[in-house]
Structure formats: structure tokens, C-alpha cells
Amino acid sequence: MKLILAGVLAGLLSATAAKADEMVFTSWGGTTQEAQTKSWAEPFAASSGIKVLQDGPTDYGKLKAMVDAKNVTWDVVDVEMDFAIKAAKDGLLEPIDFTVVPKDGLDPRFSNEQAVGSFYYSFVLAWNKGAVSGEPASWADMFDTKKFPGKRTFYKWSAPGVIEIALLADGVPADKLYPLDLDRAFKKLDTIKSDIVWWGGGAESQQLIASGEAVFGQLWNGRVFALEKDGADVGVSWNQNLTAADVLVVPKGAKNKDSAMKFLATASSPTGQAKFAEASGYAPINTKAKAEMAADVVKGLPDAHVDGQINLDMNYWAEHRDEIATRWYAWQTK
């Protein structure tokens, strides 16, 4: 998710906040932000008259620095849920105005007093069919370099996903993942460390798999969906798919808080969620959205693959985020 949409006014936005009839939406770039723009920002701008400027990619350090400096130039930001939980505790977020943002229909798993669900996704095992002989079926196959030679790609940031994948591949039962055994996870990751190519953003993960630079990958299901739409010859296994969510937050001190709340109402509405799900392949966080979606699209969403599905523990990660990150980045640089 590190690529920035064409036309991003990053330099301007870093110096000044948007005008009263403008607001700034920040997300991860690539196909995800493109879908958010078409599904949420454009309809919102048309109905409200408020121009939505795009910025990105999401940067947690930058968000915190803005709040600390009391110079916030972002109004709505797409973040991972574990970050949102921690950021709320640290006083970095505005409370959601639920007199503006309807609560009715919002999945309570993905919304709270400081965040409204953006989308619900799964990490899945994906591969380049032209570069792989056979079909890998589990995360254990990602660690079997004899049976499936080639580079593997994982998310490089300290976040829910890779640690759990390593433990599952090492035989830890899904219901015994937490608390995370970091010693065991890093020992397992050591076995393939020289074969890992890291991706920092969703678009990069797509490029690595499509080009064959990495033959296997831990990808967001929506990125696989985008590859398939583009005609790429990719395979996907939903076995032990790992679920989590992104949420939308308003940084503390946002200059256009009123507009931000109105934007959140559009983004989290049944129609907004349905349009985004159809465009991205990610599941909606509004329980009424599926009634507005085609049946064949609903069948391909993460919540249609619940057999063997594993829910990543966002609260655990929020509580242990800093200590895991310290060890994670130290291990990566060894």
C-alpha cells in the first residue's frame, strides 16, 4: 500500500490544511485507494459539495507527529485496527460523532468510539501459477523450500499476520496462537529468511507475485482479486485465511472534523460499503451492504470462506504492539 495515487497533493498538504470546503482523505494508495475514491470520495463530493483531496500512503509516525505538533493536515485516515485501538488509548484520535454517522448496521467487531470500519479482509496464500509446480495448500508449504523452491514474500511491517503464519506453519493449533510465542515464530522464520522478499504495500505485493520475483506470497485477498481482474495467472488458497480489518479514524485536532464525520457517514453506509466491496473484493463492515451486492460477488468475499478461518487478535496486538515491533525490526536487520 505504498504507492500514491496520481494527483496526490502531498507537498502542499504537508504545509497547509484543507480549506473549509475541502477535506483530506489518506489511505494506502494503489487499487484500494482507487476503489475508496470511486466508492466514497467521489459520491460524497458530489452530494455535499466538499472537495476530497487525496494523500497517502498512511504513515503512523506522521499521524502521531501531526497530532503532537498540533498541525494536523489529514481529516480521515485509513489505518489497521490494532493501530486504531492503541492510538485511541494514546489520545491521538477524535471520538466519532454518532449523531452524524449512523450506527445502525455497523458491525460492532470493526467499529468503536474512535473508529468506523473501513473494510474486512483476509491474508491468503497466493502464488504465480507459471512459476510454481503443483498447488500449495497451507502456510506450511510457504516454509517448504524443497517441495516449493523460490522466493517468498511477506508483509514487512510489524503487524498481525506473519508471526501467526510462522506459528501455524510450525504446527501451532489456531486456538493456541495467543499469547504469541515469539521465540518459536522467529526460529521458524529463520529457516526461510534468505528466501524472503519483503513487501511494504499492497501494490508491491501484487507486482512481486505477478512478475514471478516471488513465487509465493502472503497477500491481502483484495490484492489477489485485483490481480485476477487484470488477468494474472495466480492461484489462491483460503485455507487458514487470517482475518482482520482496516478502520477509518479522524486524527485529534483535524481541521475539518465536521466534514470528516459526514465523509465517514458516506463511507460506512450500506451503499458506500457495497460499492467498495464490489470494486475491491474486501468484505463490507455494514451488515446491510450485502443486500445491495450481486450474489456472485458476495460468494468471493472473506466471510464466504469461514471454514478454517482464523481471526487475528487485534486487542492482543494493540497491547503488545511496541514490544513486538522492537523485536521484529531488530530481527529483520540481522
Side-chain angles (χ1 to χ4, degrees):
M1 298 179 177
K2 291 290 182 184
L3 296 183
I4 304 175
L5 291 178
V8 166
L9 305 177
L12 173 63
L13 296 176
S14 65
T16 62
K19 299 175 184 177
D21 58 349
E22 297 177 342
M23 59 161 285
V24 181
F25 172 62
T26 300
S27 189
W28 302 97
T31 54
T32 297
Q33 193 162 352
E34 289 171 3
Q36 290 170 325
T37 299
K38 292 178 181 178
S39 304
W40 306 340
E42 291 177 0
F44 172 74
S47 64
S48 69
I50 299 170
K51 185 177 181 181
V52 181
L53 304 178
Q54 302 285 327
D55 202 0
T58 294
D59 183 316
Y60 299 148
K62 186 174 182 180
L63 187 154
K64 184 178 186 304
M66 285 181 180
V67 175
D68 289 345
K70 293 182 171 54
N71 184 28
V72 179
T73 58
W74 293 344
D75 297 306
V76 174
V77 187
D78 187 301
V79 303
E80 292 156 304
M81 191 165 188
D82 63 307
F83 171 80
I85 294 170
K86 179 69 162 56
K89 291 180 179 179
D90 292 344
L92 300 179
L93 306 179
E94 294 283 355
I96 304 301
D97 185 350
F98 286 109
T99 66
V100 178
V101 183
K103 264 189 173 181
D104 186 35
L106 295 184
D107 190 323
R109 294 178 298 170
F110 310 129
S111 296
N112 56 40
E113 295 305 308
Q114 288 84 24
V116 172
S118 179
F119 56 88
Y120 157 44
Y121 62 86
S122 285
F123 279 121
V124 294
L125 171 59
W127 64 92
N128 183 312
K129 288 185 176 180
V132 174
S133 177
E135 291 197 0
S138 70
W139 296 118
D141 289 333
M142 283 274 276
F143 290 79
D144 190 340
T145 55
K146 291 184 179 179
K147 184 177 180 181
F148 295 105
K151 295 294 184 180
R152 281 86 163 119
T153 187
F154 290 96
Y155 193 34
K156 75 176 183 179
W157 307 113
S158 176
V162 182
I163 297 293
E164 287 88 346
I165 287 170
L167 292 172
L168 290 166
D170 202 43
V172 176
D175 62 352
K176 303 295 184 183
L177 284 172
Y178 302 97
L180 295 172
D181 185 338
L182 296 181
D183 289 340
R184 184 170 178 174
F186 284 114
K187 184 177 180 181
K188 186 67 174 179
L189 286 164
D190 278 336
T191 65
I192 61 167
K193 190 173 185 179
S194 62
D195 290 308
I196 295 176
V197 179
W198 300 104
W199 60 267
E204 186 180 8
S205 71
Q206 292 171 262
Q207 293 163 0
L208 287 167
I209 295 297
S211 68
E213 182 178 346
V215 297
F216 298 102
Q218 165 213 9
L219 269 66
W220 288 302
N221 73 281
R223 297 296 178 161
V224 180
F225 175 79
L227 285 172
E228 291 172 332
K229 284 206 304 184
D230 289 342
D233 192 20
V234 295
V236 59
S237 171
W238 287 89
N239 183 33
Q240 293 184 323
N241 71 91
L242 304 168
T243 69
D246 267 28
V247 295
L248 302 173
V249 300
V250 178
K252 190 75 172 178
K255 303 295 192 299
N256 301 292
K257 186 169 66 172
D258 291 345
S259 296
M261 296 302 165
K262 294 173 184 176
F263 178 90
L264 292 180
T266 295
S268 62
S269 68
T271 299
Q273 284 290 302
K275 288 181 177 178
F276 176 73
E278 290 177 335
S280 66
Y282 295 124
I285 57 79
N286 192 306
T287 58
K288 298 180 179 180
K290 290 181 183 177
E292 300 187 24
M293 298 172 60
D296 60 331
V297 175
V298 172
K299 290 179 181 178
L301 298 176
D303 47 4
H305 298 274
V306 295
D307 288 344
Q309 193 172 78
I310 301 166
N311 294 314
L312 295 169
D313 191 334
M314 296 296 105
N315 288 305
Y316 179 88
W317 271 89
E319 183 179 351
H320 298 278
R321 185 179 183 86
D322 293 341
E323 64 186 80
I324 295 174
T326 298
R327 184 162 180 183
W328 175 258
Y329 295 120
W331 174 81
Q332 277 191 338
T333 58
K334 288 181 182 177

